[in-house]
Amino acid sequence: MKTIEPVSIWDNGQVLEATILNAYAVNVTLGTSATFYYQLFSQTAEGYVSQQVAQGNLSMTGEAYAQWEVDSYAWDWVAAQLNLTITGDYVPPVPPSPEPPVTEE
């Protein structure tokens, strides 16, 4: 998952803000093409992944497919197709450690 510059998504009469991109290859025809499934998510105030606000499929063919050798290229290609700017890797927040119970002596 990657963090992205916030983008507004219209969904059922509401404007939602997507800040997380997820994508993975769902079908690869070696030497020819790849299909990627993508999802855009909002985030909670604490930084956790919240609701999916958009999703779809993208097909990579031709020169783009021929140049795909590393994951970073695929991430950049997906972002470019969706007109998104990747700002970094999504790292979920670390939940606080529970406080040990106070015991009386």
Side-chain angles (χ1 to χ4, degrees):
M1 290 181 149
K2 300 290 185 182
T3 56
I4 56 171
E5 290 280 329
V7 61
S8 296
I9 305 289
W10 180 261
D11 182 45
N12 291 329
Q14 292 182 314
V15 176
L16 304 173
E17 184 174 80
T19 55
I20 298 172
L21 167 65
N22 188 36
Y24 51 91
V26 292
N27 186 23
V28 176
T29 303
L30 296 176
T32 305
S33 66
T35 301
F36 293 90
Y37 175 70
Y38 72 87
Q39 299 165 291
L40 297 177
F41 293 97
S42 59
Q43 268 181 290
T44 65
E46 297 80 24
Y48 293 98
V49 174
S50 187
Q51 83 183 83
Q52 176 183 292
V53 297
Q55 58 85 32
N57 292 297
L58 297 168
S59 294
M60 177 191 282
T61 60
E63 187 64 28
Y65 180 81
Q67 291 180 11
W68 176 31
E69 293 182 9
V70 294
D71 289 348
S72 60
Y73 178 85
W75 279 112
D76 291 342
W77 182 86
V78 168
Q81 298 305 299
L82 299 172
N83 199 28
L84 302 173
T85 301
I86 293 174
T87 58
D89 290 326
Y90 172 73
V91 178
V94 176
S97 299
E99 297 281 330
V102 177
T103 57
E104 294 184 25
E105 295 182 26

